[in-house]
Amino acid sequence: AQSVTQLDSQVPVFEEAPVELRCNYSSSVSVYLFWYVQYPNQGLQLLLKYLSGSTLVKGINGFEAEFNKSQTSFHLRKPSVHISDTAEYFCAVSDDSWGKLQFGAGTQVVVTP
Amino acid sequence: DGGITQSPKYLFRKEGQNVTLSCEQNLNHDAMYWYRQDPGQGLRLIYYSQIVNDFQKGDIAEGYSVSREKKESFPLTVTSAQKNPTAFYLCATLGLAGGLRTGELFFGEGSRLTVL
């Protein structure tokens, strides 16, 4: 079974600064990779996904992620954050398209003025 | 509005009581899932159902039960056998595009269960 490691539990960042959230997964022949965002007391919303094709994936709200097969990583980036980006971010991986995702423990992003 | 509706949003129960969380969807998705979320642990899969009248255990099924009598509905019962039921519970469906699975999950707003 897949496993996912999010290397930072909390990331403080100033408004308009860049942010990178790190995610590593256990190796597999093929993987489906996802980043979700969760605002307090709400469900999860998909930011972006990698199924195949280009290794640089662009998502909503200006986020992007790069799939690196050799390093088994899928790091999330945003060049300039807003206060509204304060939330918890989850990396998830699956071996197939059946939706049985393995989630990382989450990274709390706190954006301050 | 198309989406996933979970109810109740907040629920309190006494130890030893069973409680059922509702999940209804009008997205016409076949597969549905229940996840449990605890602080610092991410989400863990409890049960999933790929089709009506069929469901499978996930990673932490002990102390939980489900049913899937209708495509739209996938209720979760937290039984008294669940040792530590206080958590945030999330229901999800599996996306389809052109009749094919996308691998992407769509989530409801969640139900927060507190055992007193």
Side-chain angles (χ1 to χ4, degrees):
Chain A
Q2 287 280 0
S3 65
V4 181
T5 301
Q6 291 184 242
L7 296 161
D8 305 292
S9 60
Q10 188 166 16
V11 173
V13 58
F14 288 111
E15 192 175 16
E16 298 184 5
V19 70
E20 178 180 78
L21 308 184
R22 296 178 291 168
C23 173
N24 287 90
Y25 61 94
S26 56
S27 63
S28 179
V29 175
S30 64
V31 289
Y32 294 73
L33 294 157
F34 306 85
W35 275 99
Y36 284 86
V37 61
Q38 184 181 36
Y39 301 100
N41 291 313
Q42 293 188 22
L44 278 67
Q45 178 185 3
L46 183 72
L47 280 176
L48 48 80
K49 62 186 177 186
Y50 172 81
L51 304 181
S52 64
S54 172
T55 58
L56 182 62
V57 181
K58 293 192 182 296
I60 62 171
N61 300 341
F63 284 93
E64 64 180 32
E66 185 153 19
F67 169 57
N68 188 318
K69 188 174 182 178
S70 62
Q71 296 187 5
T72 61
S73 68
F74 191 54
H75 301 333
L76 180 71
R77 302 183 183 94
K78 186 171 182 178
S80 176
V81 296
H82 302 134
I83 296 289
S84 59
D85 291 321
T86 295
E88 189 153 25
Y89 294 79
F90 291 94
C91 180
V93 62
S94 177
D95 290 331
D96 56 36
S97 63
W98 272 108
K100 291 189 295 175
L101 303 187
Q102 291 293 327
F103 284 84
T107 297
Q108 180 68 45
V109 172
V110 180
V111 181
T112 53
Chain B
D1 262 6
I4 302 165
T5 301
Q6 290 188 240
S7 62
K9 192 167 177 66
Y10 298 95
L11 184 62
F12 298 87
R13 86 154 205 217
K14 295 180 181 179
E15 281 191 24
Q17 290 180 336
N18 292 356
V19 61
T20 297
L21 307 180
S22 170
C23 179
E24 302 281 332
Q25 58 109 351
N26 60 7
L27 300 170
N28 201 32
H29 290 166
D30 292 308
M32 299 184 72
Y33 306 76
W34 275 105
Y35 281 87
R36 170 180 170 140
Q37 184 178 14
D38 296 281
Q41 294 192 47
L43 280 71
R44 293 179 289 168
L45 181 63
I46 305 172
Y47 267 99
Y48 64 100
S49 167
Q50 295 175 343
I51 200 167
V52 175
N53 292 323
D54 184 62
F55 49 83
Q56 306 293 330
K57 293 181 179 180
D59 299 320
I60 56 164
E62 184 175 352
Y64 300 97
S65 66
V66 294
S67 63
R68 186 85 188 277
E69 298 176 0
K70 299 186 302 181
K71 186 175 185 177
E72 301 79 17
S73 178
F74 191 41
L76 173 74
T77 296
V78 184
T79 76
S80 56
Q82 169 49 232
K83 295 284 187 282
N84 185 18
T86 294
F88 192 52
Y89 291 89
L90 288 156
C91 177
T93 66
L94 180 61
L96 293 172
L100 300 177
R101 301 183 303 274
T102 65
E104 171 188 349
L105 293 182
F106 293 82
F107 286 86
E109 294 285 289
S111 292
R112 186 169 297 282
L113 172 63
T114 303
V115 175
L116 304 173

